[in-house]
Amino acid sequence: MLTTNYPLLADQIAEFQQNGHIYLPQVVTEEILHPYRHAIRNWSSDFQAKQKPIEERDTYGKAFLQMMNLWEDDPMVREFVLAKRFGQLAADLLGVKQVRLYHDQALFKEPGGGLTPWHQDQYYWPIQTPKTVTMWMPLVDIQAGMGMLTFASGTQRVELPPMPISDESEAMIAQYVKDQEFPIVAQKTMQAGDATFHMGWTLHAAPGNESNTMREVMTVIFMDAEAEVMEPKNANQEADRLRWLSGYAPGRKADSPLNPVIN
Ligand SMILES: O=C(O)CCC(=O)C(=O)O
């Protein structure tokens, strides 16, 4: 299944282009997902044991356990992250021939975990194209109250003053999306193996996890295979350039060993 195509309708591609996000049911079945979930969960237990208690973390630290580029270290996760099926979906939605990996991250929102503040991912990325997309896939069923990913539709075209995630940015953007009356869209529930895809500039957030269950999510970020490294505009982008683009120079194609084409 990971090597076969997920059939997309023209209407679904148009919806993604229009709204900057889309929900797709059963991108993989729970059965296929099972061994990969196991591999990703192994990381989370080790990682969680090293974290401060949740009450001692700041807003961003309370939002989730953030574990990045697991594909580099784990052959099972590598097989999952580099799956042709995901790359094909990302390329079809973006309307490009092929995509490359930017990086992966597991985002586990703990029971009692706080909200994910409103933000645009691409503020953090030194990539010279808006043709970027994140696949956000729950590894467990997500019920109401567990921290569903929430989008402000159409905001991939919005230019906000540059700001990193903080309590101030959360307050400002929450007010902004309300004032501008962007449609706020979230699934009520998701099954393990369903996925949402959102563009790098689409505003999104998530409420806290009020349940007793860990919200286990795996994400994979893709970019147009033709993307170039951009001159970093802030310290976060410079850190990303060094870490996720192997330090490749601005102006160069983003084809470092950490950014394989998915095919
Ligand atoms: O999982 C979350 O709560 C936030 C996810 C997110 O911001 C992203 O995948 O870009």
Side-chain angles (χ1 to χ4, degrees), residues 95-255:
V96 300
K97 229 167 109 195
Q98 286 183 310
V99 289
R100 298 178 180 278
L101 178 67
Y102 183 45
H103 66 82
D104 71 46
Q105 51 183 354
L107 298 173
F108 281 31
K109 207 183 264 296
E110 299 147 284
L115 59 80
T116 306
W118 283 103
H119 65 282
Q120 288 173 311
D121 296 329
Q122 212 158 330
Y123 163 82
Y124 290 92
W125 303 341
I127 303 176
Q128 186 77 55
T129 173
K131 293 182 182 172
T132 59
V133 60
T134 298
M135 179 182 81
W136 189 91
M137 180 180 282
L139 306 175
V140 292
D141 293 349
I142 303 194
Q143 314 295 346
M146 279 178 68
M148 185 62 80
L149 197 59
T150 303
F151 306 99
S153 283
T155 47
Q156 74 275 19
R157 289 178 282 270
V158 157
E159 264 191 61
L160 290 174
M163 42 186 166
I165 293 177
S166 66
D167 290 341
E168 292 73 38
S169 72
E170 162 63 11
M172 187 269 178
I173 301 174
Q175 191 60 45
Y176 172 78
V177 294
K178 209 166 155 196
D179 291 348
Q180 300 293 316
E181 300 181 357
F182 289 111
I184 305 298
V185 178
Q187 293 303 119
K188 284 201 172 60
T189 60
M190 280 176 86
Q191 243 182 286
D194 293 351
T196 60
F197 286 75
H198 63 271
M199 290 183 188
W201 286 108
T202 306
L203 277 166
H204 57 284
N209 183 359
E210 295 160 7
S211 78
N212 294 322
T213 307
M214 180 76 92
R215 190 213 67 177
E216 298 174 21
V217 166
M218 184 61 181
T219 72
V220 187
I221 306 166
F222 303 98
M223 56 187 163
D224 181 359
E226 298 305 314
E228 286 179 7
V229 181
M230 182 179 85
E231 189 68 54
K233 292 187 175 155
N234 56 52
N236 295 298
Q237 289 191 4
E238 174 61 0
D240 263 35
R241 186 182 73 81
L242 295 173
R243 178 64 184 94
W244 309 128
L245 298 164
S246 307
Y248 270 31
R252 194 168 165 183
K253 195 165 173 180
D255 59 356

